[in-house]
Amino acid sequence: MIIDIGLTQKYPSLRGRFARSNPSEIFCEIASPKSGLAMTLVRKSYDNLKLIIPFLIPYTIYLFFFSSCRKEAGHPSWDVDVLAPLVKSTLTINNIIPDSLLQQNTDNSLDIVYQSSLYSFSVDSLFQIPTATIDTAYWLPFPIFLSQLSTIVPATTDETKNTQGGAELTDVILRSGTIEIMLRSQVKSMIDFTYKILSAKDPFGNVFNKTFRIPAATSATDGVYTATFDLSGYKLDLTGLSGNKVNTITSYYNAIISPAPFGDTVTIQPYDSVVISNKFIDIVPQYAKGYFGHTVSNIGPDSTNFSLFNHIIDGTLQLEDIDVGFSIENSIGADARVTIDTLSSINTRTGSTILLAHSIIGAPVNLNRAVDNNGNVTSSTYSISFNPSNSNIKQFVENLPNKISYLMDLEINPLGNVSGSNDFVYYDKLMKTQLNMAIPLSLIANNLTLADTLDFKMDKSAAHVNSGTLYLYAENGFPFTAEAQLYLMNDNFTIVDSLISAPNAILAPQLDANFICAGKRLTKLAIPLDEDKLQLLKNIKKMYIKMKYNTAGQPNYVKIYSFYEMNVKLVGDFNYTVGK
Amino acid sequence: MLNRILFFLAISHLPSAICHLHAQDSLSVQKKPEQTIEFLGEGFLNSNTITNDFILAFYKGQFINDVLKEGVTEKILLSNRLGGASKLGFTYSEHSLEGNKKPVFSFSFFDRQHLDMKFSDDLFNIIFYGNKKYFTNQSAYLGDFQLNLLRYQQFRFGWNFSGDATHGSYGFSFSLLSGEQNVFVKAPTATLFTSDDGTYSGNYIDFAVAMQVHQTDTANKKIFAQNGMGLSADFFYELPYTVWKKPGTIIFEVKDAGLIRWNSNSMHYSADSSYHYDAIDVSDLFNLDSMASPLNIDSVIDKNTKFEKGQYTTNIPFTLDIHTKSFYGKQIAFEKGIIFWFNTSAKPYYYAKLHFIVGRKKYADIAYIIGYGGYGRFNAGLEAKIDFAKHYSLHVIDNYLFSGIAHTSYGMGLYLKLVRRF
């Protein structure tokens, strides 16, 4: 009798067995055939040894699994009270106003320099490129028998003139656009169609020249061929075959019976036709030349967004000085006359509108044409400055507008075709109006409130915080008091709770006789986080931050200098579960 | 691995001899049996500070509440110990024929584990209470820390020589050790200072540490993995004496004096540095992704950290046990002794046993034990050696029998050995 003791299942390379060679003798063998090693115990008394087997089994189990049972237990956990600084930062004026908008003066005072475009011209407002050159049908009223290679549409040169309002164009270079050609045939044979736009040449001087094969028609369906070709970079000569026309596209086409396996002749039935049509799509000129006509356009009333004060939601701002440059730059090779009828500062939050009062309002401004020196365009610019002494620009800006509204008249070529049809325009060189603001940061802020919405996601490690308090240490070196509040928003952007308990004001430091900050002032704000608030923090995805500023030393203006800064440090004092 | 075990099992199959089991792992021989096989399982975990409830909660992965923590802090000292060991295996002995003076040969296989830890009260408080409660504006002294986790398998070959009225018995053995795992951490100096003085710059944490870490190959951690090899030796000498007409013996015994050489995949890390931390610096407070680094240590002084791989040697824990056993008649004996622990944090362990011996054919020895030292404090327990069948004996020791009564008790363990004689 041989008993396999089961080691082979876990260790296939082993052989283990108890065997009884005769009634009074047994042996135990554990062997590894692979390594050639073996252990054999021989015992004459089978009855004695068999009693050990019950102990061997639990012993073996214990031996193999005792050390692994700990791994299956959970991780222990406990609460600790942690006090540790978490994050710190130094806030400068650049954290409030982007440095791209700041200009530092020699005395380290700062100006806000802000540009806003009011109105930009487009080529479409001058003229439009023709949309079609051919749209014709060719047919015979009686049957005719044609052999292969016979002409079915004779060679035709066609001039198509498009009226462009008052514009008379002679040359156009296309920046982008395509031509779509569609051919429809009722002839029951394939037709080879040749189409050329004689006035269109690619950048290498090759005429647009294409040959298409129109499928044969059947008794049920026409033969149709459609193709689209990119015209980017093509130069159009719009002076026709004679060279003295305008707005004229010259094309050429003809058609023959294709060599095809349908026999020697093709019968053309009465009224079988070949229809040819094409159109230009999304044509954008890179350059155009000619006479743009005498046009008068009313621009507006319209408005443009003004983002400088976008984050201000409340309060007032008084500026000591301001200078706003208004400029009109004409890069078009045509004379222009601009009349600004109205220019308004609109604050949609308060509903307040301030009309600019200045001598330019209602007065026409003549703009000379730009000069083209082989692609180098010299613009003509008209500039004027709005300042507190010649306008109400201070009230205009202190209205904290988020929109600038305008109403203008634009007249092109007010004196007619004085250039001899040499008006020109480039795609990226047009006419634009711009406001150039320089606002010295010398101001009085009264409850000036800035707000913004931030994305928020609690860090995974913070999920084990049970409760605690965050302390915000702020060493304020700016000449203003800042009241900070953080609001928690739910998925519907509704504020559900706030974080900072009162008092929540970061106090301003003392000012010296020149209203410059004399050092920094430390304020410690507490942000208590109980279990409910922490649960909210774990769930929200948005946080609304609101800062209310009041300048120190009022009613005097205070300047903001580049060296002002605020040191901020967040210290955590919280109960945390370790090992959860 | 099993191949290696079988190898040692195979070479241990030596000619039969009348056996006498090796010293403390054996029972007294009563009837000169020819062979014995014994299964041994023993383990203990003890501390002079960490209570049993705390250890059990930690082991079971439970929440360690304030009651458990206070049970520790009530008795915590400047320097605290936690240690334990387990030993699991079997011994096969072959005895010589009756009257033959040939030595008793035995072969044993044991799976051995050691845990040894020494730590300060501040370290315990920092870990389990945090840095705020006790250490705001104070230094926490985390040094004098040592941790040694050791596991190896032992293949022991022993020979015992019986003495007579004038010559003591003695025995020795040597063992081949297969090192499985070791983690050794030693931090003689470490301080943590938490500052919160209410000013902006007064919030910071300073940490200074000098430490060494040795760890065996973490990629080879399966059961009976071999990451090192070693040797150890045991020795005992038992000398009979008579004092005041009372016979007795004095026994000197050294166990597990040896070392393990770990292989070249072992890792070594050392540091002797000071760190100053006062928050993670972010360039834009409204955009935490702008932090300069995940952990911005403001300044590192005397930065001297090193990481490398290579062999190293561990002197395994060993003991020197000196004890006497005096007989007062045939039924009472008094045993007392001291165990010195080497290569561990344990203190010398003093113990005494009062034996009550009954039976003739069926031998039974019941002893009451008291002890002091080692990793723990006072302990008391019972020991029993009983022949419970014709060929079986059972030896049970619980040195911490009364620890389970009090919630804030220290130490737990059990010794269990079953002997089958042939």
Side-chain angles (χ1 to χ4, degrees):
Chain A
M1 181 183 69
I2 295 175
I3 305 167
D4 192 316
I5 61 175
L7 277 172
T8 53
Q9 290 183 0
K10 189 170 179 68
Y11 301 100
S13 61
L14 290 181
R15 295 285 178 272
R17 58 182 182 158
F18 284 102
R20 182 178 178 183
S21 54
N22 61 58
S24 62
E25 198 172 275
I26 60 102
F27 68 91
C28 168
E29 179 185 83
I30 299 175
S32 172
K34 199 172 177 180
S35 61
L37 298 174
M39 181 188 78
T40 305
L41 297 174
V42 180
R43 180 61 186 154
K44 294 196 173 183
S45 172
Y46 165 77
D47 292 331
N48 287 342
L49 193 60
K50 73 179 180 182
L51 296 175
I52 296 175
I53 295 174
F55 297 105
L56 270 177
I57 294 170
Y59 182 82
T60 305
I61 293 170
Y62 181 74
L63 189 68
F64 277 87
F65 296 104
F66 173 80
S67 60
S68 61
C69 65
R70 174 63 186 89
K71 295 173 185 173
E72 294 168 5
H75 294 289
S77 60
W78 61 91
D79 289 346
V80 294
D81 294 316
V82 177
L83 176 66
L86 302 177
V87 293
K88 65 178 181 179
S89 186
T90 298
L91 299 176
T92 65
I93 192 66
N94 290 333
N95 294 104
I96 303 171
I97 301 170
D99 54 359
S100 60
L101 301 181
L102 289 172
Q103 178 176 291
Q104 185 173 333
N105 300 313
T106 53
D107 65 347
N108 290 321
S109 65
L110 298 167
D111 291 352
I112 291 181
V113 178
Y114 182 75
Q115 291 185 335
S116 177
S117 177
L118 271 187
Y119 174 74
S120 293
F121 228 66
S122 69
V123 175
D124 288 346
S125 56
L126 287 175
F127 55 82
Q128 288 188 330
I129 298 296
T131 57
T133 59
I134 309 171
D135 191 1
T136 187
Y138 179 83
W139 55 274
L140 292 172
F142 48 81
I144 189 170
F145 301 96
L146 295 176
S147 60
Q148 295 178 23
L149 302 178
S150 297
T151 299
I152 187 168
V153 176
T156 304
T157 300
D158 184 62
E159 286 188 338
T160 305
K161 181 173 184 179
N162 290 268
T163 55
Q164 314 295 330
E168 297 172 355
L169 302 181
T170 57
D171 296 288
V172 174
I173 297 174
L174 300 180
R175 179 182 181 85
S176 62
T178 57
I179 183 171
E180 183 183 277
I181 297 171
M182 194 188 76
L183 303 165
R184 182 185 297 274
S185 168
Q186 292 175 326
V187 178
K188 293 178 180 56
S189 174
M190 290 188 293
I191 295 173
D192 288 347
F193 187 88
T194 301
Y195 178 63
K196 300 177 184 177
I197 304 176
L198 300 175
S199 54
K201 293 182 180 176
D202 67 13
F204 305 104
N206 303 312
V207 169
F208 182 88
N209 183 358
K210 305 290 179 187
T211 298
F212 325 112
R213 177 158 291 179
I214 308 171
T218 66
S219 54
T221 59
D222 296 344
V224 176
Y225 180 89
T226 303
T228 301
F229 300 96
D230 185 14
L231 293 178
S232 301
Y234 271 82
K235 183 177 180 181
L236 302 181
D237 180 354
L238 303 179
T239 59
L241 291 170
S242 62
N244 57 9
K245 294 180 181 176
V246 295
N247 301 337
T248 302
I249 292 177
T250 308
S251 58
Y252 165 90
Y253 54 87
N254 80 312
I256 59 173
I257 301 297
S258 299
F262 287 109
D264 293 333
T265 59
V266 175
T267 303
I268 309 296
Q269 300 296 331
Y271 304 107
D272 277 356
S273 63
V274 177
V275 178
I276 311 155
S277 64
N278 68 358
K279 60 180 177 181
F280 291 123
I281 300 171
D282 297 333
I283 293 295
V284 177
Q286 173 66 31
Y287 169 81
K289 184 183 175 187
Y291 171 55
F292 295 160
H294 175 212
T295 59
V296 178
S297 307
N298 294 318
I299 301 170
D302 203 350
S303 63
T304 185
N305 290 328
F306 190 78
S307 61
L308 181 60
F309 306 118
N310 264 5
H311 291 303
I312 296 177
I313 61 165
D314 200 4
T316 63
L317 176 68
Q318 293 172 258
L319 301 168
E320 186 174 17
D321 194 11
I322 189 167
D323 183 84
V324 177
F326 177 76
S327 66
I328 306 173
E329 183 182 10
N330 181 18
S331 299
I332 301 171
D335 296 331
R337 179 178 291 158
V338 177
T339 304
I340 302 172
D341 298 319
T342 61
L343 193 60
S344 311
S345 154
I346 300 174
N347 186 329
T348 57
R349 176 179 50 78
T350 62
S352 169
T353 299
I354 303 291
L355 286 167
L356 181 69
H358 186 270
S359 58
I360 195 177
I361 301 299
V365 173
N366 290 317
L367 295 166
N368 293 329
R369 66 179 59 242
V371 177
D372 185 5
N373 294 312
N374 297 320
N376 295 321
V377 175
T378 305
S379 304
S380 166
T381 304
Y382 173 83
S383 299
I384 191 168
S385 173
F386 304 142
N387 56 56
S389 63
N390 66 10
S391 68
N392 65 339
I393 191 66
K394 195 162 173 289
Q395 291 82 355
F396 188 93
V397 174
E398 288 176 352
N399 188 41
L400 305 176
N402 58 341
K403 286 183 180 296
I404 301 291
S405 171
Y406 53 85
L407 176 62
M408 293 189 288
D409 295 330
L410 173 63
E411 189 175 355
I412 299 293
N413 285 323
L415 303 178
N417 188 4
V418 296
S419 68
S421 296
N422 283 312
D423 295 352
F424 68 88
V425 65
Y426 286 88
Y427 170 80
D428 51 352
K429 297 180 178 68
L430 297 164
M431 184 184 292
K432 58 185 178 184
T433 56
Q434 196 158 305
L435 285 172
N436 303 304
M437 287 189 168
I439 306 172
L441 279 177
S442 178
L443 50 89
I444 299 171
N446 275 305
N447 295 325
L448 188 70
T449 308
L450 275 64
D452 199 1
T453 303
L454 307 174
D455 291 330
F456 178 83
K457 185 179 180 183
M458 185 179 265
D459 189 82
K460 283 182 182 175
S461 60
H464 296 166
V465 175
N466 303 313
S467 62
T469 305
L470 291 175
Y471 292 103
L472 181 71
Y473 287 79
E475 280 186 337
N476 185 14
F478 287 101
F480 48 69
T481 296
E483 291 180 38
Q485 188 54 276
L486 297 168
Y487 297 94
L488 313 182
M489 301 177 86
N490 63 15
D491 292 341
N492 300 321
F493 290 87
T494 304
I495 291 173
V496 291
D497 206 345
S498 61
L499 282 183
I500 306 176
S501 57
N504 57 345
I506 299 170
L507 302 176
Q510 294 293 318
L511 303 183
D512 65 13
N514 297 315
F515 301 104
I516 297 174
C517 292
K520 294 173 182 169
R521 183 168 180 177
L522 176 66
T523 305
K524 181 181 177 183
L525 302 181
I527 305 172
L529 298 171
D530 57 23
E531 289 183 16
D532 294 338
K533 205 160 280 189
L534 274 167
Q535 193 57 43
L536 267 177
L537 275 170
K538 289 169 187 172
N539 294 329
I540 65 162
K541 295 184 177 65
K542 295 281 182 186
M543 192 175 283
Y544 185 67
I545 182 169
K546 195 160 85 172
M547 301 285 285
K548 185 189 288 184
Y549 297 98
N550 282 285
T551 50
Q554 291 191 31
N556 299 294
Y557 289 96
V558 290
K559 287 185 177 179
I560 307 297
Y561 291 95
S562 60
F563 52 79
Y564 284 164
E565 63 180 25
M566 184 192 297
N567 299 323
V568 178
K569 183 189 282 187
L570 204 57
V571 176
D573 175 0
F574 46 85
N575 183 269
Y576 183 90
T577 299
V578 177
K580 192 187 280 182
Chain B
M1 185 63 227
L2 208 54
N3 287 343
R4 282 191 287 270
I5 296 171
L6 287 170
F7 170 72
F8 291 113
L9 288 171
I11 62 172
S12 71
H13 185 59
L14 299 174
S16 299
I18 297 173
C19 80
H20 178 82
L21 294 181
H22 188 274
Q24 298 304 301
D25 292 331
S26 343
L27 285 174
S28 301
V29 179
Q30 306 298 316
K31 297 172 182 178
K32 300 181 178 63
E34 294 179 11
Q35 297 176 71
T36 60
I37 185 163
E38 58 186 43
F39 301 99
L40 171 70
E42 69 165 305
F44 76 92
L45 191 61
N46 199 3
S47 172
N48 65 337
T49 304
I50 309 295
T51 61
N52 287 351
D53 286 350
F54 189 98
I55 290 171
L56 289 172
F58 194 95
Y59 183 84
K60 293 174 182 175
Q62 295 172 343
F63 181 75
I64 299 170
N65 57 28
D66 286 345
V67 174
L68 290 171
K69 287 191 270 188
E70 285 163 8
V72 174
T73 52
E74 280 174 2
K75 298 286 180 65
I76 201 161
L77 305 168
L78 284 176
S79 181
N80 306 279
R81 308 181 298 273
L82 171 69
S86 73
K87 185 176 182 180
L88 188 65
F90 67 90
T91 297
Y92 173 77
S93 303
E94 291 190 350
H95 301 240
S96 64
L97 297 172
E98 186 176 4
N100 193 328
K101 293 296 182 182
K102 285 185 178 177
V104 175
F105 168 76
S106 64
F107 166 76
S108 304
F109 168 77
F110 294 115
D111 180 45
R112 308 286 300 269
Q113 294 186 77
H114 289 280
L115 162 68
D116 179 80
M117 186 158 64
K118 184 170 65 169
F119 57 94
S120 69
D121 53 346
D122 284 359
L123 180 64
F124 179 88
N125 288 328
I126 279 281
I127 291 174
F128 290 100
Y129 285 100
N131 66 334
K132 184 194 170 189
K133 187 172 182 178
Y134 296 115
F135 303 109
T136 302
N137 294 320
Q138 289 190 39
S139 287
Y141 297 97
L142 314 177
D144 193 24
F145 173 78
Q146 182 170 301
L147 168 70
N148 190 14
L149 287 166
L150 177 65
R151 183 169 187 177
Y152 60 93
Q153 284 75 49
Q154 180 178 23
F155 303 91
R156 191 177 72 178
F157 308 91
W159 291 267
N160 284 6
F161 298 86
S162 298
D164 52 29
T166 55
H167 298 88
S169 301
Y170 64 97
F172 62 87
S173 70
F174 72 90
S175 299
L176 300 174
L177 308 180
S178 173
E180 183 179 324
Q181 285 181 49
N182 179 232
V183 178
F184 179 80
V185 182
K186 186 173 186 178
T189 304
T191 57
L192 183 81
F193 179 72
T194 303
S195 173
D196 180 25
D197 65 359
T199 67
Y200 178 87
S201 56
N203 288 281
Y204 60 84
I205 293 173
D206 278 342
F207 181 57
V209 64
M211 67 183 297
Q212 287 181 308
V213 178
H214 304 289
Q215 186 171 17
T216 50
D217 189 358
T218 53
N220 186 21
K221 295 183 77 170
K222 59 184 183 292
I223 296 174
F224 295 167
Q226 190 179 68
N227 290 306
M229 294 289 286
L231 292 169
S232 70
D234 302 341
F235 168 79
F236 85 93
Y237 183 73
E238 180 178 331
L239 183 66
Y241 64 84
T242 302
V243 177
W244 295 330
K245 299 181 180 178
K246 304 294 183 188
T249 57
I250 181 167
I251 300 168
F252 302 87
E253 184 174 12
V254 173
K255 278 186 179 179
D256 302 318
L259 51 85
I260 295 176
R261 181 74 171 165
W262 303 101
N263 64 27
S264 57
N265 290 328
S266 305
M267 294 172 285
H268 313 279
Y269 173 80
S270 63
D272 186 0
S273 302
S274 297
Y275 304 94
H276 178 79
Y277 166 73
D278 73 343
I280 297 168
D281 202 354
V282 295
S283 57
D284 181 358
L285 192 62
F286 304 115
N287 177 16
L288 293 183
D289 291 337
S290 67
M291 67 177 66
S293 65
L295 181 60
N296 178 50
I297 303 299
D298 297 284
S299 59
V300 178
I301 304 168
D302 295 331
K303 184 178 181 182
N304 182 19
T305 59
K306 189 168 67 174
F307 175 81
E308 60 185 9
K309 281 190 168 186
Q311 295 180 320
Y312 71 102
T313 301
T314 296
N315 294 318
I316 63 174
F318 79 95
T319 57
L320 168 61
D321 183 357
I322 304 171
H323 66 275
T324 64
K325 190 171 184 180
S326 303
F327 293 89
Y328 298 90
K330 292 183 178 178
Q331 294 183 318
I332 294 176
F334 182 65
E335 186 178 351
K336 55 190 177 298
I338 180 171
I339 300 175
F340 296 95
W341 302 67
F342 298 91
N343 301 326
T344 71
S345 305
K347 303 289 185 185
Y349 177 68
Y350 306 91
Y351 67 95
K353 297 180 183 180
L354 185 59
H355 294 266
F356 300 93
I357 303 160
V358 295
R360 293 183 177 177
K361 290 185 177 179
K362 298 287 186 182
Y363 174 85
D365 180 350
I366 311 296
Y368 178 75
I369 308 165
I370 58 170
Y372 176 80
Y375 286 104
R377 297 166 182 263
F378 277 106
N379 65 279
L382 288 175
E383 176 180 353
K385 291 186 231 178
I386 301 169
D387 292 342
F388 65 93
K390 184 179 179 183
H391 300 292
Y392 290 96
S393 297
L394 183 65
H395 187 181
V396 181
I397 305 173
D398 186 345
N399 283 314
Y400 313 96
L401 188 62
F402 305 107
S403 296
I405 298 171
H407 286 296
T408 56
S409 56
Y410 304 93
M412 61 183 85
L414 187 65
Y415 177 101
L416 185 64
K417 182 164 69 176
L418 178 69
V419 181
R420 173 72 170 95
R421 293 181 294 276
F422 306 104

